[in-house]
Amino acid sequence: MTGAARPGTAKAVAELAGVSVTTVSRVLSGQASAIPQETQDRVFAAARQLRYRPNSLARALRKGTTQSIGLIVPDISDAYFHQVARGVEDVAQAAGCVVILTNTDRVPAREEACVNLLLDKRVDGIVFAGGGIDDDTHLDGFDWSSTRVVTIGPHQLPFPSITVDDSAAISDAVHHLAEISCRRILCLAGQPNWLVTQRRLAGYRQAVAELGLDTDPDLVVYGDFTESAGEELTAKALAAGSFDGVIAFNDYTAIGAMHALASAGVRVPDDVAVIGCDDIPVARMVHPALTSVSFSQYEFGRNAAEMILGSVPLPAGQRITFPHELLRRHSTARR
Amino acid sequence: MTGAARPGTAKAVAELAGVSVTTVSRVLSGQASAIPQETQDRVFAAARQLRYRPNSLARALRKGTTQSIGLIVPDISDAYFHQVARGVEDVAQAAGCVVILTNTDRVPAREEACVNLLLDKRVDGIVFAGGGIDDDTHLDGFDWSSTRVVTIGPHQLPFPSITVDDSAAISDAVHHLAEISCRRILCLAGQPNWLVTQRRLAGYRQAVAELGLDTDPDLVVYGDFTESAGEELTAKALAAGSFDGVIAFNDYTAIGAMHALASAGVRVPDDVAVIGCDDIPVARMVHPALTSVSFSQYEFGRNAAEMILGSVPLPAGQRITFPHELLRRHSTARR
């Protein structure tokens, strides 16, 4: 080493590479388009040799960016959110940003804690995926002005959002069940206060009315989005009365329903046809393979991250609606 | 407001609550055990009213902790890693820490980039889950001294690790296949350079030799851990020769194998019995339900996070080995 600079400082790197400290800073922060490649290579080599790592905290304080995106999901164990998370992280990593993952379990206090943690970390943006409920006053007190927020799925928060037409998605599924002669369609909904339940239920009710199907209110039952809820609700419904179709508001619930039907000796799709929602990978692996409404979860995540990292301002009311598609498989394949 | 302090500063909060700035700082950083609850409540109320948020970046610079854990996984879309991630995040969130999620896709350059991002963020610790390979020289250049690292699964990195006995897990599975009269067991391994493949293959080879089963080297085939790899490898193996059992080194591969067998009209378990590994939730949902080796992924994550957040120093060679269990289901239920 030529000078007296401490190893592991920008000054030492500059001396070893034979450039200025400003050049070191520009090269290592990726703002070096005007600097010859050969010089850049020399800076990288020197930084590596001296194990120099710029202090990202000091940089963040100075520049007001932390190169980070917060991701809030109800539960990363739910396959619906895997592709969302991959979409967010792929975009973030390509941009040199990190993703901070938080799970809320759809518990308001935990949701509040997640937002608090992320604002405290001064993330550049937050992707708020799923979990919207009809009373989200627990999120009122926050000052969101320091960050960009994009919601995925129905939310009442006043931010740009990425959604699907939940009502039309379920209506399409009910129409398909009617085509294969279902008249009494059991609706396995989520919890009544979830916005996704409310939107999808509107689609179910509208389609049932349009098609002149049975509107028996006992055909609509509520649970969480687990396989066991689907199994229990369906077993109860079998004990209470008859139905010839099932529309479940997510795939786990539909798979639980198929287990209950199999246990009771009811044949799918011959006696009861079943449709799920989300088209998670397991939908095509179960037996019979599950007809499901497919969304573009990976694209939700990718687009949300790009909105946050983009230079374009986000209009508060901006909404991107992605298409859905009903994927027909064996669980509705009646002769 | 009584004084001239700017709103949104610690001074303003102190004035509104009628306490010192030091007390505000102690209460809001959770170091207030000696301060009366009533005073704490007043500080929280004042901070909320003034929308005061302590600058976590400045605090991190001052204290040398960022209250964050980095999590490196091959792919968060792989169900094996969901419970690991939940375990890490549950512990972190309870401690007021965030989890930074990164995916490597088992690509060395991407793995290097993830480590770089996390060290740059000065995370307090890194949970390095899965993805260990036999040549990890791409990770040599890093200065890890600023962070605590815990690995999950086989790794050559010199850090405390959480593992299972991969060799014994597969040996148990092969023994079960032998009990139900399998003699030629197709082994659907991961890539040859993955440490998990090497450990599990050792268990397969040892059990096959011990039990006097067919040691035909063509029975061992390599692929990635996807369903499609399992399907293709099994279809090729069916074309090339005969076998009466399958051990797959993860469940996705086993499920792909069952699809190939079904397409070829081969009955599971009567003609060919199948065992997977990891016991992801889909294992019990497929048809026939898949016998699988079960691990404690959630506990891996929970323990790794606790090791990082704990006050106890981590000895470099420390290893926690969790038990495994063979869960017998229909895919090996021969009469």
Side-chain angles (χ1 to χ4, degrees), chain B:
Chain B
M1 208 165 311
T2 56
R6 278 185 301 130
T9 64
K11 189 145 182 275
V13 174
E15 286 179 5
L16 184 61
V19 300
S20 70
V21 171
T22 309
T23 300
V24 168
S25 164
R26 285 172 64 199
V27 169
L28 297 182
S29 65
Q31 298 165 313
S33 54
I35 298 173
Q37 189 58 49
E38 189 270 332
T39 308
Q40 294 191 39
D41 292 347
R42 227 163 53 229
V43 171
F44 279 118
R48 196 168 171 97
Q49 185 180 331
L50 296 176
R51 301 196 161 193
Y52 172 64
R53 182 169 293 285
N55 190 328
S56 69
L57 299 172
R59 198 170 59 219
L61 269 176
R62 217 165 51 235
K63 298 207 176 170
T65 166
T66 52
Q67 298 286 99
S68 59
I69 297 176
L71 172 62
I72 302 178
V73 298
D75 180 8
I76 196 63
S77 306
D78 178 335
Y80 179 89
F81 296 105
H82 306 159
Q83 291 299 321
V84 173
R86 270 315 300 259
V88 172
E89 214 266 311
D90 284 355
V91 168
Q93 196 175 130
C97 291
V98 294
V99 175
I100 297 180
L101 169 71
T102 59
N103 296 282
T104 68
D105 286 328
R106 301 178 193 270
V107 173
R110 197 159 168 171
E111 202 167 90
E112 202 176 339
C114 290
V115 173
N116 235 325
L117 276 172
L118 295 175
L119 290 179
D120 199 44
K121 289 291 167 206
R122 314 231 155 183
V123 290
D124 296 331
I126 294 177
V127 178
F128 209 136
I133 56 176
D134 56 10
D135 174 8
D136 56 9
T137 48
H138 63 291
L139 298 175
D140 277 355
F142 290 108
D143 175 6
W144 304 87
S145 61
S146 63
T147 195
R148 292 182 156 199
V149 184
V150 176
T151 59
I152 295 178
H155 273 270
Q156 297 194 111
L157 296 167
F159 300 114
S161 66
I162 289 175
T163 56
V164 294
D165 189 339
D166 283 295
S167 171
I170 296 302
S171 174
D172 288 357
V174 172
H175 276 263
H176 177 47
L177 288 171
E179 279 162 24
I180 55 172
S181 309
C182 297
R183 310 302 298 167
R184 281 179 61 82
I185 299 173
L186 180 67
C187 177
L188 301 174
Q191 294 295 348
N193 67 327
W194 296 353
L195 294 176
V196 68
T197 298
Q198 296 171 7
R199 305 269 166 94
R200 292 182 179 180
L201 206 47
Y204 168 83
R205 292 206 164 114
Q206 191 186 332
V208 164
E210 269 171 20
L211 296 161
L213 307 181
D214 199 327
T215 57
D216 181 354
D218 289 346
L219 286 171
V220 177
V221 293
Y222 301 89
D224 60 23
F225 272 176
T226 61
E227 196 192 346
S228 58
E231 189 159 359
E232 278 169 38
L233 292 171
T234 304
K236 270 191 205 165
L238 280 170
S242 74
F243 51 90
D244 48 18
V246 173
I247 171 71
F249 286 2
N250 83 337
D251 288 333
Y252 292 112
T253 311
I255 290 166
M258 293 211 293
H259 286 172
L261 293 166
S263 297
V266 177
R267 294 167 306 163
V268 176
D270 297 359
D271 302 328
V272 173
V274 179
I275 300 184
C277 222
D278 298 345
D279 191 37
I280 59 174
V282 62
R284 60 185 164 74
M285 298 184 198
V286 293
H287 182 85
L290 180 66
T291 294
S292 186
V293 185
S294 166
F295 304 117
S296 319
Q297 287 92 319
Y298 181 82
E299 289 303 314
F300 297 172
R302 212 174 59 75
N303 277 268
E306 281 176 349
M307 285 163 79
I308 282 170
L309 295 178
S311 51
V312 184
L314 303 176
Q318 183 178 346
R319 174 174 297 194
I320 301 179
T321 302
F322 275 84
H324 60 270
E325 186 186 2
L326 183 70
L327 297 184
R328 301 172 185 208
R329 300 198 181 96
H330 289 319
S331 70
T332 57
R334 284 190 185 162
R335 294 149 317 254

Side-chain angles (χ1 to χ4, degrees), chain A residues 153-154 163-171 195-196 199-200 203 295 324:
Chain A
T163 56
V164 293
D165 188 339
D166 283 296
S167 171
I170 297 303
S171 173
L195 294 176
V196 68
R199 305 269 167 95
R200 292 182 178 179
F295 304 117
H324 60 269

Side-chain angles (χ1 to χ4, degrees), chain A residues 140-183:
Chain A
D140 278 354
F142 289 108
D143 175 7
W144 304 87
S145 62
S146 63
T147 195
R148 291 181 157 200
V149 184
V150 176
T151 59
I152 295 177
H155 272 271
Q156 297 194 112
L157 296 167
F159 300 116
S161 66
I162 289 173
T163 56
V164 293
D165 188 339
D166 283 296
S167 171
I170 297 303
S171 173
D172 289 357
V174 172
H175 275 263
H176 177 47
L177 289 171
E179 278 162 24
I180 55 172
S181 309
C182 297
R183 312 300 299 166

